[in-house]
């Protein structure tokens, strides 16, 4: 606050005779004394002064990792197939076939992700296969583990189109829906559980995709048979598509399969859609070529870093008229902000986690307002009104005489202290529709109301940026004169 006001270069040039608080509820003598003392201390007030020094600069922060923070040893990493296959119902698959249309650009249906190995075991299972390449393998790479793991191949998933189907079948080149001409009634797939991998290690998935029978046969079948041709392997390398290259999206909205629904919630399950072609301007980006599910406790091994929380707001510093010569403006310090989340899209993410920014867009339904009370230096009860929301000190577990986070008796001011946090509606930062109703003292009964001052009036509320660069005064330390100087 101090720095921002100094930069503004405020000068007082004329005197105000009007009130900034409810004169009917306040003692006239006290009011007059406060006004006279303020002008005596700081000089005459500039008639153009608005007392709003905030810049409303957005403050952004990326979400933190949900992976475990406790360090873990390599132990003996294992991948084990489940004793029985998991059955995936049509209710789960319907989200995929409805939202991830083959050939469509489904880029915004999910979010890119980084992964870290959690402290717990986790399980993965495929739930759908679309129009993927001729043959593919899903592989997993974990930092510190020498060999990558081949988890499953194209033929490891089976399905039925109708309830009357007698047998399961494996997907062809057109996937489970025969290019959309048939529904998918049920899927059966192997589950694989991973245990004892190094906790917190970087982990990512990738597809190895062969585009046709020849490249697949030469690279996979002949190698297995040990066939040589003129002293060298007949081999064509597959395309390798990694999650770090934005080939996979974390999906939201899928129903948890009945097989695990009684034990796992949305917090423990992550769905991932894979793309089998390079992400280019001409690629379809449908992400339905392979959809698989990961689940585990306490959390799935996914660390979303592509959602940022943006806060835009002001810090209000309030005087409660406890003394007519007290100008520390710390009787109530409250940050009022509007928050929303942006989806961040990247052109590329390499193996070291370096990101090439593409664009960002606001996530619908995430915008909301809230208030955080940082300090309370007054010793009288009050009700704070912000927009349509009211908050009363005595009704919120505090003794009205408590002086909190204002440096009272040599205590340290904690600038990020949260004394109270509550949602707000209809706060208008342009109108500064904030007021405080303060309990009267002495011979006066009831409460009087202090509102944000009109232009050129004596202030009892001031607005600044809500950052550590705008701290509030310690108890009984009046705002210094250089608040209002260009220097």
């Amino acid at each position: 606050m101090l720095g921002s006001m100094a930069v503004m270069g405020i000068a007082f040039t004329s005197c105000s005779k009007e009130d900034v608080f409810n004169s009917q509820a306040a003692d006239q003598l006290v009011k007059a004394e406060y006004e006279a003392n303020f002008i005596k201390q700081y000089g005459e007030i500039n008639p153009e002064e608005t007392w709003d020094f905030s810049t409303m600069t957005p403050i952004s922060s990326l979400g933190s990792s949900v992976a475990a923070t406790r360090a873990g040893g390599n132990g003996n990493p294992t991948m084990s197939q489940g004793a029985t296959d998991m059955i995936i119902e049509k209710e789960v698959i319907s989200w995929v076939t409805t939202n991830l249309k083959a050939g469509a650009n489904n880029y915004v249906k999910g979010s890119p992700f980084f992964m870290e190995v959690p402290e717990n075991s986790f399980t993965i299972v495929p739930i759908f296969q679309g129009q993927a390449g001729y043959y593919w393998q899903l592989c997993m790479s974990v930092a510190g583990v020498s060999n990558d793991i081949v988890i499953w191949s194209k033929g490891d998933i089976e399905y039925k189109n109708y309830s009357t189907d007698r047998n399961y079948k494996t997907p062809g080149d057109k996937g489970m829906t025969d290019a959309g001409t048939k529904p998918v009634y049920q899927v059966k797939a192997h589950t694989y559980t991973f245990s004892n991998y190094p906790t917190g290690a970087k982990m990512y998935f990738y597809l190895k995709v062969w585009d046709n029978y020849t490249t697949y046969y030469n690279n996979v079948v002949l190698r297995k048979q040990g066939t040589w041709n003129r002293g060298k392997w007949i081999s064509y390398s597959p395309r390798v598509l990694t999650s770090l290259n934005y080939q996979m999206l974390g999906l939201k909205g899928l129903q948890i399969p009945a097989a695990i629904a009684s034990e796992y919630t949305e917090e423990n399950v992550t769905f991932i859609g894979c793309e089998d072609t390079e992400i280019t301007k001409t690629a379809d980006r449908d992400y339905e070529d392979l959809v698989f599910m990961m689940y585990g406790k306490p959390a799935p091994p996914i660390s979303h870093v592509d959602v940022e929380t943006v806060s835009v707001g002001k810090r209000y510093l309030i005087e409660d008229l406890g003394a007519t010569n007290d100008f520390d403006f710390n009787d109530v310090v409250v940050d009022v902000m509007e928050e929303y989340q942006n989806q961040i899209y990247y052109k590329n993410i390499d193996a070291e986690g370096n990101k090439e920014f593409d664009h960002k867009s606001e996530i619908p339904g995430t915008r909301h307002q809230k208030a955080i009370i940082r300090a309370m230096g007054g010793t009288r009860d009050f009700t704070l009104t912000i927009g349509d929301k009211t908050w009363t000190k005595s009704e919120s577990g505090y003794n009205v005489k408590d002086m909190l986070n204002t440096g009272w008796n040599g205590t340290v001011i904690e600038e990020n202290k949260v004394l109270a946090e509550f949602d707000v509606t209809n706060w208008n930062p342009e109108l500064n529709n904030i007021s405080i109703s303060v309990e009267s003292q002495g011979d006066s009964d009831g409460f009087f109301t202090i509102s944000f001052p009109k232009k050129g009036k004596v202030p009892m509320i001031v607005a600044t940026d809500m950052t550590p660069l705008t701290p509030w005064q310690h108890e009984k330390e009046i705002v210094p004169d250089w608040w209002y100087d260009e220097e």
Side-chain angles (χ1 to χ4, degrees):
M1 177 177 179
L2 311 182
S4 63
M5 286 188 169
V7 171
M8 294 299 294
I10 307 160
F12 296 99
T13 60
S14 67
C15 181
S16 168
K17 300 298 183 183
E18 297 182 25
D19 248 335
V20 294
F21 47 84
N22 190 335
S23 61
Q24 294 180 348
D27 182 272
Q28 292 296 319
L29 178 60
V30 174
K31 177 199 70 171
E33 287 181 358
Y34 178 88
E35 185 173 294
N37 286 336
F38 190 93
I39 296 171
K40 180 180 178 180
Q41 177 69 37
Y42 299 110
E44 296 181 347
I45 301 174
N46 187 332
E48 298 302 315
E49 182 53 64
T50 65
W51 301 108
D52 188 340
F53 305 104
S54 62
T55 62
M56 293 290 287
T57 302
I59 301 173
S60 301
S61 60
L62 287 174
S64 59
S65 169
V66 298
T69 56
R70 188 172 70 233
N74 286 327
N76 181 27
T78 61
M79 180 184 78
S80 58
Q81 182 177 332
T84 59
D85 291 343
M86 181 179 292
I87 303 299
I88 313 296
E89 309 86 357
K90 63 179 180 180
E91 290 80 8
V92 180
I93 304 165
S94 64
W95 188 96
V96 177
T97 56
T98 300
N99 291 276
L100 302 181
K101 295 294 186 181
N105 185 352
N106 301 315
Y107 188 70
V108 298
K109 298 296 178 62
S111 55
F113 53 88
F114 294 112
M115 289 153 286
E116 296 176 350
V117 176
E119 62 181 6
N120 51 282
S121 299
F122 60 94
T123 301
I124 67 175
V125 59
I127 63 173
F128 181 82
Q129 184 181 312
Q131 299 183 46
Y134 175 78
Y135 183 79
W136 51 258
Q137 293 174 327
L138 178 70
C139 306
M140 184 177 77
S141 177
V142 178
V145 178
S146 58
N147 296 320
D148 290 1
I149 306 114
V150 177
I151 303 174
W152 65 69
S153 301
K154 184 174 181 178
D156 291 342
I157 185 172
E158 299 177 300
Y159 73 106
K160 293 181 180 180
N161 287 121
Y162 305 102
S163 60
T164 54
D165 287 348
R166 300 182 64 178
N167 300 307
Y168 287 97
K169 53 188 174 183
T170 57
D173 288 347
K174 295 182 178 181
M176 295 178 172
T177 60
D178 290 339
T181 60
K182 297 180 181 179
V184 180
Y185 172 73
Q186 197 174 78
V187 168
K188 181 177 71 170
H190 306 319
T191 64
Y192 292 93
T193 299
F194 298 84
S195 304
N196 300 319
Y197 280 82
T199 301
K202 290 183 179 179
M203 177 177 81
Y204 66 93
F205 295 98
Y206 61 92
L207 289 177
K208 295 177 69 173
V209 181
W210 290 265
D211 296 298
N212 54 59
Y213 179 79
T214 300
T215 56
Y216 157 68
Y217 184 84
N218 289 342
N219 189 269
V220 178
V221 179
L222 291 185
R223 275 182 177 272
K224 287 184 179 179
Q225 295 175 352
T227 301
W228 288 77
N229 181 17
R230 296 179 180 179
K232 64 179 181 180
W233 295 111
I234 301 175
S235 178
Y236 298 91
S237 298
R239 291 179 294 121
V240 177
L241 308 170
T242 76
S243 57
L244 294 175
N245 236 5
Y246 201 29
Q247 303 299 142
M248 304 183 190
L249 293 180
L251 305 172
K252 296 293 183 183
L254 280 80
Q255 178 178 316
I256 297 175
I260 62 171
S262 62
E263 185 178 359
Y264 293 91
T265 65
E266 290 183 358
E267 295 179 351
N268 308 112
V269 180
T270 296
F271 295 92
I272 298 172
C274 305
E275 177 55 50
D276 73 338
T277 57
E278 287 83 358
I279 298 301
T280 65
K281 292 182 179 180
T282 58
D284 57 19
R285 305 189 186 194
D286 53 19
Y287 295 98
E288 55 84 62
D289 302 315
L290 167 66
V291 179
F292 64 96
M293 178 177 67
M294 308 178 65
Y295 59 97
K297 292 183 178 179
I302 299 297
S303 175
H304 293 276
V305 299
D306 62 329
V307 174
E308 67 170 353
T309 298
V310 182
S311 298
V312 181
K314 302 181 181 185
R315 173 167 294 166
Y316 291 102
L317 300 102
I318 302 173
E319 271 299 324
D320 68 356
L321 205 60
T324 61
N325 60 352
D326 179 12
F327 308 121
D328 52 19
F329 282 85
N330 67 9
D331 294 330
V332 180
V333 177
V334 57
D335 289 346
V336 187
M337 65 197 74
E338 189 165 68
E339 285 189 343
Y340 58 92
Q341 290 184 321
N342 282 330
Q343 181 80 58
I344 302 176
Y345 299 96
Y346 302 108
K347 295 179 181 178
N348 182 61
I349 307 172
D350 63 24
E352 284 72 40
N354 299 311
K355 304 177 290 292
E356 183 183 357
F357 176 78
D358 188 353
H359 71 280
K360 66 173 68 176
S361 60
E362 183 176 337
I363 301 174
T366 62
R367 188 173 287 266
H368 70 283
Q369 295 178 336
K370 70 176 184 179
I372 300 177
I373 295 180
R374 302 290 189 187
M376 291 186 286
T379 59
R380 290 182 288 169
D381 200 12
F382 67 85
T383 296
L384 189 63
T385 300
I386 306 172
D388 297 334
K389 175 68 176 181
T390 60
W391 186 92
T392 302
K393 183 177 181 179
S394 62
E395 296 177 1
S396 304
Y398 287 105
N399 187 310
V400 296
K401 295 186 179 299
D402 285 345
M403 301 173 65
L404 305 167
N405 204 30
T406 62
W408 181 247
N409 285 334
T411 57
V412 177
I413 293 178
E414 300 177 52
E415 295 176 356
N416 292 320
K417 185 78 172 180
V418 178
L419 298 177
E421 181 174 338
F422 49 90
D423 291 333
V424 172
T425 55
N426 292 324
W427 169 63
N428 189 325
E430 293 184 2
L431 298 179
N432 289 309
N433 53 340
I434 178 174
S435 62
I436 184 171
S437 181
V438 184
E439 184 180 22
S440 300
Q441 286 193 29
D443 297 332
S444 301
D445 295 325
F447 290 76
F448 60 87
T449 299
I450 301 168
S451 300
F452 195 86
K454 295 180 180 180
K455 185 167 63 174
K457 308 308 176 183
V458 172
M460 296 186 69
I461 304 177
V462 174
T464 73
D465 288 329
M466 55 176 192
T467 71
L469 298 177
T470 57
W472 53 93
Q473 295 297 103
H474 284 68
E475 191 63 37
K476 301 305 179 184
E477 290 184 4
I478 68 170
V479 175
D481 292 342
W482 52 261
W483 243 24
Y484 313 105
D485 298 332
E486 290 188 12
E487 297 302 324

